[in-house]
Amino acid sequence: MDEQLIQTINKLQDALAPLGAGSASPVDLPQITVVGSQSSGKSSVLENIVGREFLPRGSGIVTRRPLILQLINKRSSKATKDLVQIKETDANGDKTENNADEWGEFLHLPGKKFYDFDEIRKEIVRETEAKTGKNAGISPVPINLRIYSPHVLTLTLVDLPGLTKVPVGDQPRDIEKQIRDMLLKFISKPNAIILAVNAANQDLANSDGLKLAREVDPEGVRTIGVLTKVDLMDEGTDVIDILAGRVIPLRAGYVPVINRGQKDIENHKTIRAALLDEKKFFEGHPSYSSKATYCGTPYLAKKLNAILLNHIRATLPDIKMRIEMALKKYQQELAALGPEMIESPSSVVLSVITDFCNDYTGILDGQVKDVAANELSGGARISFVFHEIFKNGIYALDPFDQIKDSDIRTIMYNASGSAPSLFVGTQAFEVLVKQQIHRFEEPSLRCITLVFDELVRILSQILSQSSFARYPGLKEQISTIFIQYLREAVIPTNTFALDIIKSEETYINTAHPDLLKGPQAMAMVEEKLHPKPVQVDPKTGKPLAHQPVQKPVTADEEKSSFFGGFFSSKNKKKLAAMEAPPNVLKASGQMSDRETQETEVIKLLIQSYFSIVKKTVADMIPKAVMLKLIIQSKNEIQKVLLEKLYNNKDLENLVKENEMTTVRRRECKKMVEVLKHAVAIVATV
C-alpha cells in the first residue's frame, strides 16, 4: 500500500510532466528536492541512494536541468541474461554491475529500457544539451528518469543544479541568479520536501543549500539536512552538535553520509563497496558508533521514504480536489473557446450575428445572463439618461434667465404697432414663448447623443466577450457596421426630435386647459402689486364683510401709462422742438404702473405655458428616441449585418480565428487531457 502511494505520485508526475514544472502545472505534488552548492556532493548522495553511477560528472555546472528521479523497488526476476542485451564490461574492459533486474526508463523515450547505466548518463547529457545547448546554460524543463531496482526504496527525488557564485568559462553572467530563481521555484512550493546537502568539513552557517532552504522554510519544518564528507573532517572534530540540533535545528534532523572520493572514482570503486566502507566507518568511529543505525545512506533512504509517505498521505485529499477543480476550470474555458471551426464560413457568420443580436436585445430589455450588482448597465443606463439627465436638464431651464423686463416691455410695444393696446397683447406673449421653446432643441439633441454613446457602450460590452474575440476580423466588421448604422439612424432621430420642438413653436395653444387664464393672471398681479388692506372688526378681530372699493385711476395717472416711461427729459425746449426719434429707440426709464402690471402678467403666462411645454418635451423626446433609434436598431440590426456580411467576398478571412484563441484552445485541450489522466490515477487510491 505504501509503495502504491509513492507510485501514484510518480504516475501523476509523469502525467503532469508535459505541463512543465513551472506555474503551468495546476497541482503541487509532494516531492523531495535536492539543493546544495556544486561542491557539496549532491550527485554522490543520489548515486549512493540508487547504488549505481548514472549522473554526469565534470567541472562547472553539470546538472543544468532538473532531474526528476523516480526510484521503484522491483523484486528480482528470473529473467536470463539472454533476454536482454547487457554489456558485462565497460569501455576500459572492467567488469560492470549491469544486470537484468536494474534498468532506467526516460519519459521522453517511452518503452526504451536502459540496462547500461553509462548509457543513462549519456542520455541525460544529450537531452540536457538538446534544451540548453553546450554553452553551460540552464533550463527549468525537467528530465524524468525512472529507475527500477531490487536495491532501492520506492522514492521520488528532484535533483536541481548546484548553487554557484562566479560564472566560469562561457557561463551567463547572471548564472547565479538564474540557478537561484529556478531552485526557489521548486522549493517554495508548500508540498516540496527540501533535502539540503552540506559539506561537514565546512561551517554550517555558510551552507548555501541550507541558507536557501531557510528562506522558504524558516522554521525548518520541511527541510532535511544531509552532512557529506564526514570522513574528511579534522581529527578530533565531529558533527554530534549538529545532529543534536544545537547549531541550526531542523524538524527532520540531519543524516551524516560518506561519499566516494575522487581517488575512489578513478580506481573504479563500486558504490556498493563504498556503502560497506561507510557502514564500517560509522560503526567504528568513537563519536558515531552508538548512533550508527541513524547514520549512512541506507538510513537516509529509509528516512526519506517515510517522510515522503507521510507527506503524501497528508496531502493526497487536497491533491485530488485541486486536480478536479483544475479539470473543471479548463473544461469550462475550453467550452467557452468553442470547438475548432468545422462549419462553413457563412454558418459561422450567421451564428455570430444571431448571438450578437440576441445579446443586444437582451441587454436593452434587461434580460442578461449575469446581472451586474455593482453598477448600472445596458438599458438601465439609457433609462438614467432619459429620466435623470435629460428630464432634470429640461426642468432646469428658466425662461427668465435670458429675458429682462425691458425686453418684455420693448416686445409689447413692438407687438402693439402704431396703436397702443388697451390690454395685454397675445402677440407679445407668443413671440416671447416661442423664443423660449426654441431653447429645448439643444438639450434634445444632447439627449440623442448620450443615448448613441450608451448604445456604442453596449456594443463594446457585447464584443468584449471571449466568444467574439475568437474571430477578430468579424468582430471588427460588426463593430464598424453597427456604429455606422447608428450614425445614420441618428440623423432621422434628430430630425424627428427637432420637429417635435418646432411643432410646439409653431402653434401656441392658448386654449390649453392647464394654461393660466388672463383674468386670473391679472388678479394675481394686482394682488401682488396692490395688496388690499384687510379691515378688522375691533370688537371681534374678524375681517369685515364689506371692504372699501379700490380707488379708480385718475386722469393724470392714466396720462402717463402710454409711453410714459420712454421719455424722462423735463427740458421744455427739447419737447417743443419735437426732435426726430433716435436711430436706435429702446424702452427705457421708469415703468409706469400699467407697464409693470402688463409685464408681470406676461411673465406669469410665459411661466405657465413654458411649464406645460417642459412636461411635453420631457415626455415626447425619450419616446421619439425609443421609436427612431433604439427600437429601430433592435428590429433592423440583424438584417443590416446579414446584408453587409453574409455575402462578403472576403468571408473566409473574416472568420479566421484569432491566433491567441487557437493557441489557448490547444493549451486547454492539453490541460484537460492531462488532468483527466491525473483524475483517473488518483481515483485508484
Side-chain angles (χ1 to χ4, degrees):
M1 181 62 186
D2 290 346
E3 284 195 5
Q4 187 188 353
L5 282 175
I6 296 178
Q7 285 179 9
T8 299
I9 296 300
N10 289 347
K11 288 176 184 176
L12 282 175
Q13 277 179 328
D14 289 351
L16 299 174
L19 307 181
S23 57
S25 179
V27 184
D28 173 21
L29 294 176
Q31 54 191 14
I32 299 170
T33 52
V34 187
V35 295
S37 62
Q38 282 185 19
S39 58
S40 61
K42 282 190 312 92
S43 297
S44 296
V45 170
L46 290 175
E47 287 185 335
N48 283 1
I49 290 173
V50 175
R52 300 296 299 273
E53 294 181 56
F54 66 96
L55 292 173
R57 291 188 176 276
S59 60
I61 304 172
V62 179
T63 305
R64 292 190 282 136
R65 285 177 62 182
L67 175 68
I68 297 178
L69 180 61
Q70 299 173 355
L71 305 181
I72 297 170
N73 180 267
K74 189 166 183 69
R75 292 178 184 177
S76 295
S77 64
K78 295 182 180 180
T80 62
K81 292 182 181 180
D82 297 333
L83 296 177
V84 287
Q85 295 296 319
I86 298 173
K87 292 181 181 178
E88 295 184 346
T89 56
D90 60 17
N92 299 320
D94 297 318
K95 187 172 176 59
T96 67
E97 295 179 301
N98 296 336
N99 63 82
D101 292 327
E102 293 180 276
W103 72 88
E105 293 179 6
F106 288 95
L107 189 65
H108 63 271
L109 296 173
K112 184 174 182 180
K113 293 184 178 182
F114 290 80
Y115 290 93
D116 187 341
F117 279 70
D118 281 336
E119 291 298 320
I120 292 177
R121 178 188 293 114
K122 291 175 185 176
E123 181 57 30
I124 291 172
V125 172
R126 191 197 66 76
E127 183 63 16
T128 298
E129 291 178 352
K131 276 284 182 187
T132 63
K134 297 187 179 183
N135 64 345
I138 62 169
S139 168
V141 181
I143 298 172
N144 284 57
L145 170 62
R146 184 176 289 174
I147 291 179
Y148 295 86
S149 170
H151 307 296
V152 298
L153 285 172
T154 300
L155 198 59
T156 303
L157 300 154
V158 181
D159 185 23
L160 297 169
L163 288 157
T164 184
K165 297 285 186 186
V166 183
V168 178
D170 58 355
Q171 290 176 356
R173 289 189 175 184
D174 64 339
I175 190 69
E176 181 185 3
K177 183 179 182 301
Q178 284 187 30
I179 294 175
R180 179 183 171 83
D181 291 346
M182 184 200 296
L183 266 57
L184 284 172
K185 190 180 287 185
F186 276 87
I187 68 174
S188 59
K189 294 177 180 178
N191 284 348
I193 300 164
I194 305 167
L195 185 64
V197 180
N198 321 279
N201 60 350
Q202 293 177 1
D203 189 352
L204 198 63
N206 294 326
S207 166
D208 292 330
L210 206 54
K211 181 184 175 185
L212 196 67
R214 299 275 289 187
E215 285 186 29
V216 296
D217 182 30
E219 302 297 323
V221 175
R222 53 187 179 91
T223 303
I224 310 163
V226 176
L227 300 172
T228 61
K229 306 182 182 180
V230 178
D231 55 328
L232 301 181
M233 295 180 72
D234 293 337
E235 192 173 345
T237 61
D238 56 41
V239 291
I240 294 298
D241 283 348
I242 298 174
L243 296 179
R246 290 193 285 267
V247 181
I248 299 176
L250 297 176
R251 180 78 59 86
Y254 295 83
V255 178
V257 297
I258 295 173
N259 299 330
R260 292 180 303 162
Q262 188 60 37
K263 187 178 179 182
D264 293 332
I265 294 170
E266 289 173 1
N267 293 335
H268 305 292
K269 183 179 182 180
T270 65
I271 290 176
R272 284 167 192 163
L275 290 174
L276 289 173
D277 289 346
E278 178 190 53
K279 184 180 179 185
K280 289 176 184 176
F281 174 84
F282 285 118
E283 288 177 348
H285 196 283
S287 299
Y288 308 118
S289 58
S290 62
K291 296 185 179 292
T293 53
Y294 302 105
C295 302
T297 304
Y299 174 71
L300 174 64
K302 288 177 185 176
K303 189 179 182 76
L304 292 177
N305 177 268
I307 289 172
L308 183 61
L309 275 171
N310 290 333
H311 201 50
I312 291 171
R313 287 193 192 100
T315 57
L316 200 55
D318 182 60
I319 290 170
K320 280 185 177 182
M321 183 188 72
R322 287 181 182 277
I323 292 173
E324 288 166 2
M325 285 174 63
L327 177 60
K328 187 177 180 181
K329 172 192 161 189
Y330 283 105
Q331 282 176 330
Q332 288 173 346
E333 186 178 350
L334 188 60
L337 290 169
E340 291 182 42
M341 197 174 72
I342 52 174
E343 304 171 87
S344 65
S346 56
S347 298
V348 172
V349 170
L350 180 61
S351 174
V352 171
I353 290 174
T354 303
D355 290 344
F356 173 81
C357 295
N358 288 340
D359 287 351
Y360 180 61
T361 303
I363 288 173
L364 285 173
D365 294 341
Q367 298 169 353
V368 288
K369 297 173 188 174
D370 302 316
V371 179
N374 56 343
E375 63 173 344
L376 293 177
S377 63
R381 288 181 65 93
I382 293 173
S383 177
F384 183 84
V385 170
F386 286 156
H387 302 299
E388 295 295 330
I389 298 175
F390 177 66
K391 183 181 175 183
N392 289 336
I394 289 293
Y395 275 83
L397 291 177
D398 182 358
F400 303 115
D401 58 5
Q402 294 184 359
I403 305 177
K404 298 175 183 176
D405 286 0
S406 60
D407 298 330
I408 297 174
R409 185 179 171 198
T410 301
I411 290 171
M412 279 196 308
Y413 282 111
N414 284 337
S416 298
S418 58
S421 63
L422 293 173
F423 304 102
V424 176
T426 304
Q427 193 173 354
F429 161 72
E430 289 192 1
V431 169
L432 289 162
V433 164
K434 285 179 180 179
Q435 285 180 358
Q436 297 310 303
I437 291 173
H438 186 74
R439 294 173 65 192
F440 288 123
E441 286 189 359
E442 188 179 340
S444 299
L445 295 178
R446 175 66 180 153
C447 174
I448 295 167
T449 302
L450 290 174
V451 172
F452 171 85
D453 292 342
E454 289 303 324
L455 294 179
V456 173
R457 185 188 178 98
I458 290 172
L459 166 75
S460 302
Q461 181 184 339
I462 296 170
L463 294 184
S464 65
Q465 297 174 30
S466 58
S467 56
F468 293 97
R470 184 177 175 184
Y471 308 108
L474 186 56
K475 173 183 172 180
E476 186 180 344
Q477 281 295 305
I478 288 175
S479 178
T480 303
I481 293 167
F482 183 82
I483 292 172
Q484 182 60 34
Y485 169 79
L486 288 181
R487 285 198 178 117
E488 292 171 1
V490 160
I491 297 169
T493 309
N494 286 343
T495 304
F496 189 35
L498 292 177
D499 284 346
I500 291 173
I501 307 302
K502 285 174 184 173
S503 67
E504 291 289 343
E505 281 184 66
T506 303
Y507 178 62
I508 305 301
N509 183 14
T510 53
H512 196 286
D514 295 336
L515 179 64
L516 190 66
K517 304 304 180 212
Q520 291 175 294
M522 291 286 285
M524 290 168 69
V525 170
E526 183 65 30
E527 180 65 28
K528 178 183 176 184
L529 296 177
H530 305 102
K532 297 175 184 178
V534 180
Q535 292 185 0
V536 181
D537 187 334
K539 292 182 180 179
T540 62
K542 294 181 180 179
L544 294 173
H546 300 287
Q547 299 293 335
V549 180
Q550 191 176 0
K551 179 186 171 185
V553 179
T554 64
D556 289 337
E557 290 171 337
E558 187 67 31
K559 184 171 66 174
S560 66
S561 62
F562 294 104
F563 300 98
F566 268 65
F567 309 105
S568 59
S569 174
K570 300 298 182 182
N571 192 326
K572 290 186 177 181
K573 287 183 180 181
K574 283 187 178 182
L575 294 174
M578 294 181 64
E579 294 176 359
N583 290 333
V584 178
L585 185 61
K586 292 184 178 180
S588 60
Q590 186 68 32
M591 288 197 297
S592 66
D593 284 352
R594 179 175 172 181
E595 286 173 338
T596 302
Q597 188 178 44
E598 289 183 347
T599 301
E600 290 299 323
V601 168
I602 283 186
K603 284 171 74 174
L604 271 178
L605 294 174
I606 290 171
Q607 184 72 56
S608 176
Y609 196 80
F610 196 70
S611 297
I612 293 168
V613 179
K614 270 184 186 178
K615 291 178 183 177
T616 305
V617 171
D619 182 51
M620 288 302 297
I621 295 300
K623 289 179 178 177
V625 177
M626 283 297 296
L627 174 68
K628 289 289 186 178
L629 189 59
I630 297 173
I631 299 299
Q632 194 156 319
S633 67
K634 277 168 63 175
N635 294 339
E636 293 188 0
I637 190 61
Q638 186 164 13
K639 176 187 170 188
V640 170
L641 288 171
L642 285 171
E643 285 177 355
K644 300 271 187 181
L645 293 173
Y646 205 60
N647 296 318
N648 193 307
K649 294 177 182 177
D650 203 22
L651 205 59
E652 286 195 14
N653 284 332
L654 277 182
V655 297
K656 192 175 181 182
E657 275 197 317
N658 183 353
E659 183 63 27
M660 287 177 64
T661 303
T662 309
V663 171
R664 188 58 187 162
R665 184 190 295 111
R666 199 180 304 127
E667 289 174 356
C668 285
K669 273 189 173 179
K670 180 180 178 182
M671 294 293 279
V672 168
E673 187 180 328
V674 166
L675 290 168
K676 277 184 176 177
H677 186 201
V679 167
I681 290 168
V682 294
T684 61
V685 181

